[in-house]
Amino acid sequence: MKGLSEEEQSKVLEGRRLVRNERMAKRAEERGLKIERLARAKELGQKVVVDLDFSDLMTASEIHSLAQQIMYCYAVNGRTASPAHLWLLGCKGEIGAQLQRLPGFEKWMIEKDDKSYIEVLQDQKENLVYLTADAEKELDELDPKSVYIIGGLVDRNRWKGITMKKANEQGIQTARLPIGSFLKMSSSQVLTVNQVFEILIKYLETKDWKASFFQVIPPRKRSEGEVEEDGENEEQEDGHDQRKRICVEESSHDKESIPA
């Protein structure tokens, strides 16, 4: 601004104010549309439950990681054109405390309860489907009447088969994502909570499992042949990680509440 006349400085400042006001108006419009989408999802969206009843099996760092994954799930859900109706059930103990520390968590437009899904959704038991890599049945498509459950458990290697066992004991259906039908994994098909959730979201948008898997599953988890075929490289994986950071940052600043 040095060297400019008062009139020129005034014009520069006015231009900056206009740009700032336009940016703020755009953000307000985006927030309004997001609230409308999430409110509609509570009525019509595909129900997806994150089962948080495994806190006592995880370390403090694993619980913290799970809370971050859930924050990413919420951010992704808010950005998509076809959001799911997200439920956090068994939201108590250390995981409940970790989630409460997330900025804006109390105003998230989701369902949350300290009770388990089997208690909260007992009248819909016939529609419950636990998603587990150990299931024999493979999903062909998502049924709008079904309630899909994702196990909120980090480091499943210590607890192999635990979600399948839980579902069998409760007498509810199980299913696995059809990953093997579309790509080869370099290791196990166990994914993080946010990866499973985002795959479901992408499928709701595209109705295409292959596209959903390739958009969400990072190259490091695929076999070399799959990575080469898809043209993936380290630069693309860095882009995937950056997208995740952007979503998490957006969620951490989320202040919307459910409109009256």
Side-chain angles (χ1 to χ4, degrees):
M1 299 286 283
K2 290 181 178 179
L4 298 179
S5 67
E6 289 187 8
E7 182 179 355
E8 289 172 329
Q9 289 181 20
S10 178
K11 288 181 179 179
V12 170
L13 292 173
E14 179 62 23
R16 290 177 179 175
R17 278 194 292 270
L18 289 173
V19 170
R20 183 171 62 250
N21 289 341
E22 288 175 0
R23 187 184 301 123
M24 291 175 65
K26 183 178 180 180
R27 288 178 178 173
E29 180 183 5
E30 290 173 349
R31 282 196 297 270
L33 292 173
K34 174 182 174 180
I35 289 173
E36 288 180 10
R37 291 195 303 270
L38 292 175
R40 187 167 60 250
K42 287 174 70 69
E43 299 295 327
L44 305 171
Q46 178 74 64
K47 290 183 180 179
V48 179
V49 171
V50 180
D51 175 14
L52 301 176
D53 271 343
F54 298 107
S55 290
D56 58 332
L57 302 181
M58 292 184 286
T59 65
S61 63
E62 289 168 348
I63 292 173
H64 175 74
S65 176
L66 176 59
Q68 295 299 305
Q69 291 177 29
I70 291 170
M71 181 168 65
Y72 181 53
C73 290
Y74 180 70
V76 167
N77 202 40
R79 290 163 65 93
T80 184
S82 303
H85 185 182
L86 179 60
W87 297 59
L88 302 180
L89 300 180
C91 192
K92 58 185 178 181
E94 184 57 30
I95 184 59
Q98 289 270 2
L99 290 171
Q100 290 291 341
R101 297 189 189 107
L102 296 177
F105 176 72
E106 284 300 321
K107 296 182 180 180
W108 282 13
M109 295 181 66
I110 60 172
E111 307 286 352
K112 47 198 170 188
D113 202 303
D114 59 358
K115 296 179 182 177
S116 68
Y117 63 83
I118 206 69
E119 295 175 278
V120 175
L121 300 169
Q122 56 183 329
D123 60 334
Q124 299 184 54
K125 186 175 179 180
E126 69 278 6
N127 295 325
L128 300 180
V129 181
Y130 213 120
L131 297 178
T132 169
D134 299 310
E136 292 185 9
K137 180 182 176 182
E138 191 173 78
L139 280 180
D140 293 324
E141 58 185 0
L142 296 182
D143 182 351
K145 295 180 181 178
S146 294
V147 180
Y148 295 99
I149 305 167
I150 303 171
L153 180 61
V154 176
D155 194 359
R156 292 170 183 266
N157 290 329
R158 298 202 313 270
W159 308 100
K160 290 182 179 180
I162 191 170
T163 52
M164 184 70 178
K165 180 182 178 183
K166 181 176 184 178
N168 287 338
E169 290 176 347
Q170 293 176 334
I172 64 175
Q173 303 174 67
T174 59
R176 57 185 168 86
L177 297 175
I179 297 175
S181 298
F182 296 96
L183 59 83
K184 295 179 182 179
M185 300 286 280
S186 59
S187 56
S188 78
Q189 294 187 9
V190 176
L191 303 173
T192 62
V193 170
N194 57 280
Q195 286 171 340
V196 175
F197 182 78
E198 190 173 4
I199 286 170
L200 297 181
I201 290 296
K202 292 295 183 184
Y203 181 80
L204 289 172
E205 288 181 350
T206 65
K207 304 301 180 185
D208 185 329
W209 284 118
K210 184 175 182 179
S212 302
F213 294 141
F214 274 84
Q215 287 183 57
V216 177
I217 298 176
R220 66 177 178 271
K221 287 197 172 185
R222 306 184 214 157
S223 67
E224 291 184 7
E226 292 288 353
V227 171
E228 291 173 0
E229 178 183 342
D230 191 44
E232 299 283 3
N233 53 38
E234 291 182 3
E235 182 178 343
Q236 287 175 298
E237 185 161 346
D238 289 342
H240 179 277
D241 291 339
Q242 168 129 6
R243 177 166 57 88
K244 181 173 179 179
R245 282 197 300 275
I246 291 171
C247 283
V248 169
E249 287 169 3
E250 178 182 281
S251 178
S252 69
H253 291 89
D254 197 340
K255 302 297 181 184
E256 290 96 357
S257 60
I258 300 175

